[in-house]
């Protein structure tokens, strides 16, 4: 039986949030969590980030911490650049991050990028996402019934 030489550690959203968000005022427990997150992410150990975690991280950064889209994009670009971090669907996350930098909603862009094997993505969100994606010529085509 072949032994694994290193273990893959999956990260939850809160670990990534503690790594990327430095609160000005924090309690001792939160400060300790930030230290643990930093040590883990900078350890060089193989890490895994699920697409659902990335989606939630974007929401936490934008919705809870009120970070601007360009700051959120920087977070994802940094995360994507870390060689020890495996992303569940790196291509879709990179596409969503690029779209975020162009003013698209991250979740919409991630849904689209995750559907790249499809012929069409159907949505009722015509004024925002569908019209902009169509104008950019995104494939798959985005349709509003």
């Amino acid at each position: 039986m072949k032994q694994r030489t290193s273990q893959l550690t999956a990260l939850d959203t809160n670990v990534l949030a503690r790594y990327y968000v430095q609160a000005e005022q924090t309690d001792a427990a939160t400060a300790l969590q930030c230290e643990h997150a930093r040590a883990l992410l900078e350890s060089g150990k193989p890490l895994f980030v699920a697409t659902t975690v990335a989606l939630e991280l974007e929401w936490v950064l934008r919705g809870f911490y009120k970070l601007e889209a360009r700051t959120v994009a920087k977070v994802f670009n940094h995360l994507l650049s870390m060689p020890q971090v495996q992303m569940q669907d790196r291509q879709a996350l990179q596409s969503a991050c690029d779209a975020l930098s162009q003013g698209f909603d991250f979740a919409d862009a991630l849904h689209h990028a995750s559907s790249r094997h499809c012929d069409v993505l159907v949505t009722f969100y015509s004024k925002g996402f569908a019209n902009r994606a169509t104008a950019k010529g995104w494939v798959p085509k985005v349709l509003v019934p």
Side-chain angles (χ1 to χ4, degrees), residues 10 21 24 28 31 46 49 63 66-67 72 80 102 118 127 130 132:
V21 178
E24 292 177 15
V49 176
K66 306 296 184 204
L67 299 180
V72 174
L80 286 161
Q102 297 172 24
C118 299
K127 290 184 180 179
R132 294 186 69 211

Side-chain angles (χ1 to χ4, degrees), residues 42-92:
E42 295 175 3
S43 70
K45 294 178 183 178
L47 304 171
F48 174 78
V49 176
T51 302
T52 52
V53 169
L55 185 60
E56 186 178 38
L57 177 62
E58 187 275 338
W59 182 87
V60 166
L61 296 175
R62 181 183 44 78
F64 183 77
Y65 289 107
K66 306 296 184 204
L67 299 180
E68 295 181 6
R70 68 174 182 239
T71 303
V72 174
K74 285 181 186 179
V75 165
F76 276 99
N77 282 323
H78 179 263
L79 188 60
L80 286 161
S81 75
M82 299 177 86
Q84 77 279 17
V85 176
Q86 296 177 31
M87 307 300 277
Q88 184 175 6
D89 188 346
R90 180 174 294 277
Q91 183 179 353

Side-chain angles (χ1 to χ4, degrees), residues 51-52 54-55 89 92-93 95-96 105-115:
T51 302
T52 52
L55 185 60
D89 188 346
L93 288 170
S95 293
D105 178 77
F106 183 83
D108 290 336
L110 185 57
H111 299 325
H112 182 269
S114 297
S115 303

Side-chain angles (χ1 to χ4, degrees), residues 7 9 18 22 27 37 45 51 67 86 95 104 108 113 124 143:
Q7 294 181 335
T9 301
R18 292 289 188 251
Q22 306 301 317
D27 60 26
K45 294 178 183 178
T51 302
L67 299 180
Q86 296 177 31
S95 293
F104 280 86
D108 290 336
F124 293 123
L143 292 179

